PDB file of all heavy atoms in Angstrom:
ATOM      1  N   ALA A 450      53.574 -34.563 -61.773  1.00 44.00           N
ATOM      2  CA  ALA A 450      52.340 -34.035 -61.182  1.00 44.00           C
ATOM      3  C   ALA A 450      52.522 -32.571 -60.843  1.00 44.00           C
ATOM      4  O   ALA A 450      53.567 -32.158 -60.372  1.00 44.00           O
ATOM      5  CB  ALA A 450      51.971 -34.824 -59.932  1.00 44.00           C
ATOM      6  N   ARG A 451      51.496 -31.788 -61.070  1.00 46.00           N
ATOM      7  CA  ARG A 451      51.513 -30.380 -60.712  1.00 46.00           C
ATOM      8  C   ARG A 451      50.234 -30.071 -59.931  1.00 46.00           C
ATOM      9  O   ARG A 451      49.223 -30.705 -60.123  1.00 46.00           O
ATOM     10  CB  ARG A 451      51.555 -29.481 -61.955  1.00 46.00           C
ATOM     11  CG  ARG A 451      52.736 -29.755 -62.852  1.00 46.00           C
ATOM     12  CD  ARG A 451      52.647 -28.836 -64.065  1.00 46.00           C
ATOM     13  NE  ARG A 451      53.712 -29.132 -64.993  1.00 46.00           N
ATOM     14  CZ  ARG A 451      54.937 -28.661 -64.894  1.00 46.00           C
ATOM     15  NH1 ARG A 451      55.233 -27.874 -63.896  1.00 46.00           N
ATOM     16  NH2 ARG A 451      55.864 -28.962 -65.772  1.00 46.00           N
ATOM     17  N   THR A 452      50.331 -29.073 -59.120  1.00 49.00           N
ATOM     18  CA  THR A 452      49.151 -28.611 -58.403  1.00 49.00           C
ATOM     19  C   THR A 452      49.087 -27.108 -58.518  1.00 49.00           C
ATOM     20  O   THR A 452      50.106 -26.441 -58.437  1.00 49.00           O
ATOM     21  CB  THR A 452      49.211 -29.018 -56.919  1.00 49.00           C
ATOM     22  OG1 THR A 452      49.444 -30.410 -56.838  1.00 49.00           O
ATOM     23  CG2 THR A 452      47.923 -28.667 -56.210  1.00 49.00           C
ATOM     24  N   ALA A 453      47.938 -26.564 -58.737  1.00 50.00           N
ATOM     25  CA  ALA A 453      47.782 -25.114 -58.846  1.00 50.00           C
ATOM     26  C   ALA A 453      46.472 -24.711 -58.202  1.00 50.00           C
ATOM     27  O   ALA A 453      45.576 -25.523 -58.038  1.00 50.00           O
ATOM     28  CB  ALA A 453      47.817 -24.662 -60.307  1.00 50.00           C
ATOM     29  N   HIS A 454      46.370 -23.456 -57.845  1.00 51.00           N
ATOM     30  CA  HIS A 454      45.117 -22.949 -57.305  1.00 51.00           C
ATOM     31  C   HIS A 454      44.229 -22.488 -58.445  1.00 51.00           C
ATOM     32  O   HIS A 454      44.690 -21.842 -59.376  1.00 51.00           O
ATOM     33  CB  HIS A 454      45.371 -21.787 -56.338  1.00 51.00           C
ATOM     34  CG  HIS A 454      45.207 -22.189 -54.926  1.00 51.00           C
ATOM     35  ND1 HIS A 454      44.055 -21.971 -54.219  1.00 51.00           N
ATOM     36  CD2 HIS A 454      46.027 -22.847 -54.089  1.00 51.00           C
ATOM     37  CE1 HIS A 454      44.179 -22.449 -53.005  1.00 51.00           C
ATOM     38  NE2 HIS A 454      45.376 -22.981 -52.901  1.00 51.00           N
ATOM     39  N   GLY A 455      42.963 -22.858 -58.376  1.00 54.00           N
ATOM     40  CA  GLY A 455      42.020 -22.391 -59.379  1.00 54.00           C
ATOM     41  C   GLY A 455      41.811 -20.889 -59.235  1.00 54.00           C
ATOM     42  O   GLY A 455      41.463 -20.413 -58.171  1.00 54.00           O
ATOM     43  N   LEU A 456      42.072 -20.155 -60.287  1.00 54.00           N
ATOM     44  CA  LEU A 456      41.873 -18.715 -60.281  1.00 54.00           C
ATOM     45  C   LEU A 456      40.564 -18.409 -60.991  1.00 54.00           C
ATOM     46  O   LEU A 456      40.051 -19.226 -61.746  1.00 54.00           O
ATOM     47  CB  LEU A 456      43.036 -18.014 -60.975  1.00 54.00           C
ATOM     48  CG  LEU A 456      44.423 -18.390 -60.456  1.00 54.00           C
ATOM     49  CD1 LEU A 456      45.499 -17.687 -61.245  1.00 54.00           C
ATOM     50  CD2 LEU A 456      44.545 -18.054 -58.984  1.00 54.00           C
ATOM     51  N   VAL A 457      40.017 -17.245 -60.795  1.00 51.00           N
ATOM     52  CA  VAL A 457      38.699 -16.955 -61.335  1.00 51.00           C
ATOM     53  C   VAL A 457      38.667 -15.541 -61.874  1.00 51.00           C
ATOM     54  O   VAL A 457      39.434 -14.676 -61.450  1.00 51.00           O
ATOM     55  CB  VAL A 457      37.608 -17.129 -60.254  1.00 51.00           C
ATOM     56  CG1 VAL A 457      37.699 -16.054 -59.218  1.00 51.00           C
ATOM     57  CG2 VAL A 457      36.224 -17.161 -60.872  1.00 51.00           C
ATOM     58  N   GLY A 458      37.783 -15.320 -62.832  1.00 51.00           N
ATOM     59  CA  GLY A 458      37.583 -13.980 -63.353  1.00 51.00           C
ATOM     60  C   GLY A 458      36.566 -13.242 -62.503  1.00 51.00           C
ATOM     61  O   GLY A 458      36.567 -13.316 -61.293  1.00 51.00           O
TER      62      GLY A 458
END
Side-chain angles (χ1 to χ4, degrees):
R451 303 178 184 277
T452 307
H454 255 263
L456 307 178
V457 70

